[in-house]
Amino acid sequence: MPKQNFTPALLISFVIIAIIVCLVLFPHDGFQAALRGVSIWWDVLFPALFPFFVISEIMLGFGIVHFFGTLLDPMMRPVFRIPGIGGFVMAMGFAAGYPVGAKLTAQLWEQKLVNREEGERLVAFTTSSDPIFLIGAVSIGFFHDASLAFILAIAHYGGSFIIGLVMRFHGRKALPTPQPLKERGPVWKQAFETMHNARIQDGRPLGTLLSQSIVQSLRLMFVVGGLVVFFSVVLEVLTSAQVMNVFYMLITTLLTITGLPHELSQAIMNGLFEVTLGAKAAGGAPAEIALSSKVAIGAFILSWAGMSVHAQIVSLLSHTNMRYLPFLFARLLHGILSAAIVLLIWEPMQRFRSPQAVFLPYYEANSPLLSYLKLIFPISAMVFVGAFAVIMSLFFAYSLLRLVYEKVGGTR
């Protein structure tokens, strides 16, 4: 009989007992942190994510996702080594924010439209912040400077595309999913036929599809909310118990090595657990700290996404064979890339900054749900269209480089 290793179970048990003891010792701090987590979930996450969860379910049922898959397959496979259906996931992930990309990827894996390696590549670079959170919450709400939104967007979404290009080398020996059979006629006609076949195969009436989409989306929203509250409470009680001091010292050492102010260690520590808490701490750092350093740390936190989002991703991928480690590597690399891009473009971008606010509908604090819905759809639609434009640009660049390579190779 093989010897069993109880070390992981013992470590997890010790951590859980330590958290329970901290909750007993600091009940007031834990309660206040739970209230903050619920407020973040209801005021920010629910209105930002729930509509996209429902819409993505309906689009899958109607075959619209399959339509985009056939349309984008000639572009996505050579650039990112994923099926064309990943282009839709990328656009939705950028427009709606985490964890929509992972949710859609898990559904594609269930339908055998992507394999394990392709799904891991897809989740790695489609897990990003939504534009409303980046502009409204981080730039305006935390940093009180709307002109920073453009810098953060370039660093965050530009880093995502770089991650997509890097992850194309992940699982190089794995066989790709079969390409759709090429039929005669234009590609748009093939895309409509694929959408029609997918709708017939699904077969659910509109009422059933709508009700099931709402129920599944609500279930996922409660999972997301529970994880946000849990990590908010854990971070607060561990901070009250002075347990986090060891991690603060480690982060301070790393910041000193990189030349960034050590006062930002608390922002990074908060961001490692929950992205909202970390971004807020970065924006509220002392005024004497250089703004470029604070924005770079904010970009790192946005791209790392926090253990709360990581737990959401693990939960969504738990019924698939996709692994967590590639996602963890991609998040860490994305965070470093985003911070480096901010520092790299900071000086050149100063000429484009202005004190004027970004053009957004007026946000009413008394009706956060309605206000966020007014903010979400126009800007997310712009990001959705922009993502497709970038895919086409990368494909044309790839085709041009390939043509040049073949020309040069033919002359040798």
Side-chain angles (χ1 to χ4, degrees):
M1 182 177 181
K3 184 179 179 180
Q4 296 181 344
N5 186 8
F6 294 101
T7 303
L10 290 174
L11 288 175
I12 294 174
S13 301
F14 175 77
V15 171
I16 292 174
I17 293 172
I19 293 173
I20 293 174
V21 170
C22 291
L23 282 171
V24 173
L25 294 176
F26 306 98
H28 179 73
D29 295 340
F31 180 73
Q32 294 299 320
L35 290 179
R36 286 196 299 271
V38 172
S39 177
I40 291 171
W41 174 73
W42 179 251
D43 292 339
V44 178
L45 297 179
F46 193 94
L49 293 179
F50 181 71
F52 286 99
F53 283 166
V54 177
I55 291 171
S56 63
E57 290 280 351
I58 294 175
M59 295 180 82
L60 275 168
F62 273 102
I64 299 175
V65 177
H66 303 75
F67 170 84
F68 283 107
T70 304
L71 207 61
L72 295 174
D73 197 77
M75 291 179 273
M76 293 298 292
R77 284 187 186 270
V79 177
F80 297 109
R81 291 186 64 218
I82 56 177
I85 208 166
F88 175 82
V89 177
M90 183 184 72
M92 285 293 291
F94 287 0
Y98 20 65
V100 172
K103 175 181 178 292
L104 289 172
T105 303
Q107 291 176 317
L108 297 182
W109 181 88
E110 290 175 353
Q111 299 181 15
K112 298 182 179 179
L113 297 175
V114 295
N115 58 28
R116 183 177 71 174
E117 286 74 17
E118 291 169 342
E120 290 169 352
R121 296 184 202 122
L122 194 54
V123 173
F125 82 100
T126 59
T127 302
S128 65
S129 170
D130 65 275
I132 298 301
F133 181 73
L134 188 148
I135 298 172
V138 179
S139 301
I140 299 176
F142 299 154
F143 284 92
H144 308 289
D145 190 345
S147 63
L148 296 175
F150 197 41
I151 297 176
L152 281 171
I154 292 175
H156 184 63
Y157 296 116
S160 293
F161 282 109
I162 294 174
I163 292 298
L165 296 175
V166 171
M167 290 300 293
R168 76 184 306 275
F169 301 102
H170 167 65
R172 298 184 64 179
K173 297 181 180 180
L175 295 176
T177 52
Q179 292 185 350
L181 296 176
K182 293 184 178 180
E183 302 175 1
R184 293 183 179 180
V187 67
W188 60 266
K189 183 178 179 182
Q190 300 175 29
F192 276 113
E193 291 177 354
T194 304
M195 181 178 71
H196 178 66
N197 294 332
R199 175 59 187 151
I200 293 176
Q201 187 175 1
D202 184 272
R204 287 177 291 177
L206 177 60
T208 303
L209 177 61
L210 181 60
S211 62
Q212 290 182 357
S213 300
I214 293 174
V215 170
Q216 293 176 9
S217 300
L218 282 174
R219 186 183 299 117
L220 180 57
M221 282 307 308
F222 278 104
V223 172
V224 171
L227 289 170
V228 170
V229 173
F230 172 76
F231 280 98
S232 178
V233 171
V234 168
L235 177 61
E236 184 64 29
V237 297
L238 290 181
T239 302
S240 300
Q242 308 297 321
V243 175
M244 307 304 293
N245 289 345
V246 177
F247 298 100
Y248 285 132
M249 292 175 60
L250 178 61
I251 294 174
T252 299
T253 303
L254 293 175
L255 288 175
T256 303
I257 295 173
T258 57
L260 294 172
H262 63 85
E263 290 87 354
L264 293 171
S265 59
Q266 183 178 1
I268 295 179
M269 194 68 250
N270 292 350
L272 290 178
F273 280 84
E274 218 290 311
V275 61
T276 307
L277 300 176
K280 185 176 182 180
E288 58 268 17
I289 298 177
L291 183 59
S292 59
S293 299
K294 293 193 285 187
V295 175
I297 295 301
F300 173 85
I301 292 168
L302 279 173
S303 301
W304 165 254
M307 293 307 299
S308 175
V309 172
H310 286 234
Q312 296 170 31
I313 302 300
V314 171
S315 174
L316 289 168
L317 302 182
S318 59
H319 62 281
T320 72
N321 64 351
M322 285 180 270
R323 297 161 293 188
Y324 170 66
L325 283 180
F327 174 80
L328 177 64
F329 166 78
R331 289 301 91 219
L332 182 60
L333 181 59
H334 188 190
I336 296 173
L337 282 173
S338 297
I341 291 173
V342 167
L343 297 175
L344 186 64
I345 68 173
W346 183 258
E347 289 299 331
M349 290 297 297
Q350 294 309 301
R351 67 184 68 179
F352 300 104
R353 292 184 61 199
S354 68
Q356 297 178 353
V358 175
F359 176 73
L360 289 173
Y362 180 70
Y363 176 78
E364 299 177 3
N366 295 328
S367 57
L369 288 174
L370 183 61
S371 296
Y372 263 95
L373 289 177
K374 290 179 180 178
L375 289 169
I376 285 169
F377 289 105
I379 296 181
S380 296
M382 292 172 58
V383 175
F384 189 87
V385 174
F388 284 119
V390 172
I391 292 173
M392 295 181 65
S393 301
L394 289 173
F395 172 70
F396 289 139
Y398 170 85
S399 301
L400 180 61
L401 289 174
R402 184 176 179 180
L403 179 62
V404 172
Y405 177 78
E406 290 177 350
K407 290 283 186 181
V408 173
T411 59
R412 290 181 180 177

